[in-house]
Each structure stands twice: as C-alpha cells, then as structure tokens.
Amino acid sequence: DAGVIQSPRHEVTEMGQEVTLRCKPISGHNSLFWYRQTMMRGLELLIYFNNNVPIDDSGMPEDRFSAKMPNASFSTLKIQPSEPRDSAVYFCASSSGTVYGYTFGSGTRLTVV
Amino acid sequence: QKEVEQDPGPLSVPEGAIVSLNCTYSNSAFQYFMWYRQYSRKGPELLMYTYSSGNKEDGRFTAQVDKSSKYISLFIRDSQPSDSATYLCAMWNRDDKIIFGKGTRLHILP
C-alpha cells in the first residue's frame, strides 16, 4: 500500500485566494482526519470523518474552512479566502479504528503571502 | 487544564545518553497510550503503544505508563543521531479520537 497520499506537497498562494488540499486515505480505512500543525499550537485536529460522514468539525477555525469526503478514497480541505495566519503544515491521516492508531500522510506545507 | 501536557523542548543530549520523554494527562478514561515519532518534513509515525499500565520494551525504546499518576514516559537507551526527531505522546479510549500532545523536539548531538 502506498500509504496516505496528500497533494500538493507545497502550496504558496496570495492572501484571498482559494486553496484546496487533497487526500487519498489507505484503502480499507474507514476514518479520515485533517490536522493542522504549527510550532506554536502543535497538532490540531480540524475535522474527522467516519465512513465518509463528518463526525466532528469543532476544530475548523472558521467558516473559511470546509472539508468534504465524497467517497471512501478521496477527501478535500478547502480554505476560501486564505489568510497569512493559515500558513501551516496540513496533515491528513486515516485509521481502521485499531490500536495501531493513525497513518499520516507527508503533509502539505501551505504558505499564504 | 489541557487533556494532554507535553514539554515542547527542545531537548539536546549527547550521543549514547539515555533520553527520557514524558507526558501527563487528565482523562482517566484513556486506555491506550502511544508514542509517535515525527522526522522533519514528514508526518508522525507510530513508534509504539501500550495498553493500560506497565512497561513495554522494543529494542532501545521502553514505554512506561503509570495510570495512578496519569503519567507516561518514553525512554531511549544508547541514543543515536538518527533518533533526532519530534516525539508526540498520544492517548485513546477506543470510543473517541486519539488525543495528541504537542510533541517534544529531541536533538541527539554526535
């Protein structure tokens, strides 16, 4: 298995632009998580899905952020409009709900200028 | 009080030293205790997990859980420069999502 695949690896965009981050979870995993990581705040859970249904989006910072999971093999995290304070590394992770925890992707490093 | 507290470091130790990394937590419902290792520009990877209290050893790594004190530790023996990474503790009670600490940055000096 290729693991959790995220794209793009790096994204530099101007303030006000729309940004879309993509994630392909591991086949057979029924849970998917979107995290944001910064030095100051560490790893923050933004939203997670179980069987493609959003379960908890309490970590989504504001209405500018939205996430979808149209099927079991694809999810997107969208920021519209983007702001410089959104600059961070965004991770997607998937899980089968076992003690082996979450498998993380390599992340998308987002820079908003 | 946050659910999981972890000193962010950085922690710098000479090669060959024993490293001790720690976390405290407040939710007594946690049953599984994990350590993730994150290399620079990579996602976190599960290093080892422990169920309930006690010790678990895997090579140079030992995880320790003291549920009575709500305190967990990771020990690294004979530390190597390749152990330089951020270590995140994580906790889970099967019915909910995993809760991560902020991570401790570790530098092993050659």
Side-chain angles (χ1 to χ4, degrees), chain B residues 19-55:
Chain B
V19 175
S20 172
L21 305 169
N22 311 292
C23 286
T24 59
Y25 64 95
S26 57
N27 187 349
S28 57
F30 290 133
Q31 299 172 302
Y32 293 89
F33 303 88
M34 307 168 186
W35 287 95
Y36 281 74
R37 179 173 59 193
Q38 183 179 18
Y39 289 117
S40 180
R41 299 187 179 273
K42 298 284 188 183
E45 291 180 301
L46 181 65
L47 183 61
M48 55 195 305
Y49 75 90
T50 309
Y51 174 70
S52 195
S53 281
N55 293 1

Side-chain angles (χ1 to χ4, degrees), chain A residues 60 62-68 76-79:
Chain A
M60 296 286 259
E62 46 199 275
D63 291 347
R64 298 184 297 106
F65 286 68
S66 62
K68 292 182 180 179
T76 59
L77 177 68
K78 188 175 292 186
I79 308 172

Side-chain angles (χ1 to χ4, degrees), chain B residues 59-110:
Chain B
R60 296 183 294 109
F61 298 86
T62 299
Q64 208 170 70
V65 175
D66 182 349
K67 292 191 75 176
S68 62
S69 302
K70 296 190 178 68
Y71 188 87
I72 71 169
S73 301
L74 177 71
F75 298 96
I76 308 174
R77 292 186 302 280
D78 187 24
S79 55
Q80 304 294 311
S82 59
D83 296 328
S84 297
T86 296
Y87 291 80
L88 298 93
C89 62
M91 302 173 192
W92 187 46
N93 65 3
R94 288 198 80 102
D95 294 330
D96 203 350
K97 54 189 180 291
I98 293 176
I99 306 299
F100 287 88
K102 283 193 172 183
T104 299
R105 286 176 291 144
L106 174 65
H107 300 290
I108 306 299
L109 306 171

Side-chain angles (χ1 to χ4, degrees), chain A residues 28-78:
Chain A
H29 282 190
N30 60 349
S31 296
L32 182 140
F33 306 82
W34 282 101
Y35 285 89
R36 178 172 67 179
Q37 188 177 42
T38 61
M39 288 286 287
M40 288 295 294
R41 301 171 71 94
L43 203 60
E44 298 176 278
L45 178 64
L46 301 177
I47 185 171
Y48 77 94
F49 297 83
N50 196 40
N51 293 322
N52 310 339
V53 175
I55 301 300
D56 182 356
D57 65 354
S58 60
M60 296 286 259
E62 46 199 275
D63 291 347
R64 298 184 297 106
F65 286 68
S66 62
K68 292 182 180 179
M69 191 164 186
N71 57 62
S73 59
F74 184 66
S75 178
T76 59
L77 177 68
K78 188 175 292 186

Side-chain angles (χ1 to χ4, degrees), chain A residues 90-109:
Chain A
Y90 290 80
F91 287 103
C92 175
S94 69
S95 169
S96 59
T98 71
V99 298
Y100 299 107
Y102 303 168
T103 302
F104 285 81
S106 295
T108 295
R109 184 172 296 271

